[in-house]
Amino acid sequence: FNDQYRDALIKGGMNAATAKGWVNTNAATSQTELDKIKGGIRGFTDFGNGTRIADPNKTVNYVTCHDNYTLYDRMGAAGVTGYFDKQSTAMLANSVILTSQGTTFILAGEEFLRTKGGDENSYQSSYKVNELDYSLKITYSKMFENYKKLIALKTTVDGLQYSTTQECASIQVTFNGSNQIVYEIKDTKANRTYKIIHNNGYKPETLPTMDLRGYTLYLDTRLTGTSSIELSQQTQFSAYQTVIVYKDN
């Protein structure tokens, strides 16, 4: 399990509950943490002691599991305020995970914003705390649909299923400042290239515009509003947003 990748994105495990990662930070992210994120996107497991397994077949990427907080509860514990921002940071975290190489692991219920009421370790808590309320798929239908599209991409596009170190190392991950991550994946079956853009909430006013003319929108994970991002010569982005576009080769 790629714990260092999780910690670079959201913190967790033995970190303080108030600790923040790239997803929910209010400060610039260090180069060391950005390198861990780059490695995680490429499907490499970093052990934090100078050693790394550069093999996507031996890497499991995740941000939450059955122990500790759900994503929504973790964001709240780390000091993210406002219902919308807690939703959006939770969505962003797994958007990065689901567009990374290696095996993806997701805690049941994250796709409809599961909460355990802030219970950090619920192994001996009540059924009520641990239950899965499937009616939330309707309450958070936009989030549920986002997950469906992310999972479809992960499971059908061969460019997200690399099996060799060389293939994974070829992925060019760019950081625009420390608040935007950009990389591309190939779908050889459809002869298509996807561009993936992740934006966190650190200084969203400095997010660079991007020329996305000629691309088609696959996914805009924003959870508010009725319209998706407008692709143009100067495409503008929002905080806590993943945008996936594609162009046929």
Side-chain angles (χ1 to χ4, degrees):
F1 277 68
N2 203 346
D3 295 345
Q4 292 292 319
Y5 190 24
R6 173 205 61 192
D7 289 348
L9 289 173
I10 70 163
K11 301 303 179 188
M14 301 303 292
N15 290 283
T18 54
K20 293 180 172 65
W22 178 86
V23 166
N24 56 355
T25 187
N26 52 11
T29 303
S30 71
Q31 188 60 52
T32 298
E33 296 297 281
L34 293 179
D35 287 343
K36 291 177 183 177
I37 293 171
K38 180 185 289 187
I41 289 171
R42 289 174 166 174
F44 300 160
T45 298
D46 192 324
F47 291 99
N49 57 4
T51 61
R52 169 182 283 183
I53 293 179
D55 185 348
N57 297 307
K58 297 178 180 178
T59 291
V60 178
N61 288 324
Y62 77 108
V63 281
T64 49
C65 61
H66 58 282
D67 291 329
N68 308 118
Y69 294 108
T70 67
L71 264 175
Y72 179 80
D73 293 342
R74 174 70 203 176
M75 295 303 107
V80 178
T81 58
Y83 202 45
F84 168 69
D85 283 350
K86 283 191 280 187
Q87 290 182 64
S88 299
T89 48
M91 183 73 255
L92 175 59
N94 264 334
S95 296
V96 181
I97 291 296
L98 278 160
T99 51
S100 298
Q101 303 295 325
T103 299
T104 301
F105 180 96
I106 301 173
L107 173 65
E110 297 291 20
E111 70 274 20
F112 45 78
L113 207 66
R114 179 186 180 187
T115 177
K116 294 190 289 184
D119 194 326
E120 182 185 5
N121 194 2
S122 63
Y123 77 99
Q124 61 181 3
S125 299
S126 68
Y127 286 124
K128 184 65 177 176
V129 169
N130 286 298
E131 71 179 0
L132 294 173
D133 181 358
Y134 289 101
S135 70
L136 294 176
K137 291 196 295 184
I138 298 173
T139 304
Y140 302 110
S141 59
K142 169 63 173 174
M143 174 174 278
F144 185 63
E145 291 301 316
N146 286 347
Y147 269 90
K148 287 171 63 177
K149 296 197 76 170
L150 285 163
I151 291 170
L153 195 74
K154 175 66 177 177
T155 56
T156 61
V157 174
D158 54 358
L160 279 173
Q161 300 171 26
Y162 286 161
S163 59
T164 69
T165 299
Q166 291 74 20
E167 289 174 311
C168 292
S170 71
I171 300 171
Q172 299 299 310
V173 182
T174 301
F175 295 97
N176 293 322
S178 66
N179 54 350
Q180 186 179 74
I181 305 171
V182 184
Y183 51 100
E184 293 184 347
I185 59 169
K186 307 291 185 180
D187 182 351
T188 59
K189 295 177 182 178
N191 197 27
R192 177 175 291 173
T193 298
Y194 287 88
K195 184 184 292 287
I196 299 170
I197 305 127
H198 302 297
N199 308 290
N200 70 8
Y202 174 60
K203 293 188 175 181
E205 68 278 2
T206 68
L207 284 168
T209 60
M210 191 177 299
D211 187 354
L212 294 180
R213 290 174 298 174
Y215 284 90
T216 300
L217 182 67
Y218 178 78
L219 179 64
D220 174 2
T221 64
R222 284 184 303 177
L223 298 173
T224 61
T226 57
S227 60
S228 296
I229 191 170
E230 181 180 345
L231 305 183
S232 67
Q233 184 177 5
Q234 292 187 312
T235 306
Q236 294 184 319
F237 301 98
S238 302
Y240 309 135
Q241 177 190 35
T242 291
V243 174
I244 303 175
V245 296
Y246 66 87
K247 180 183 290 186
D248 292 330
N249 299 328

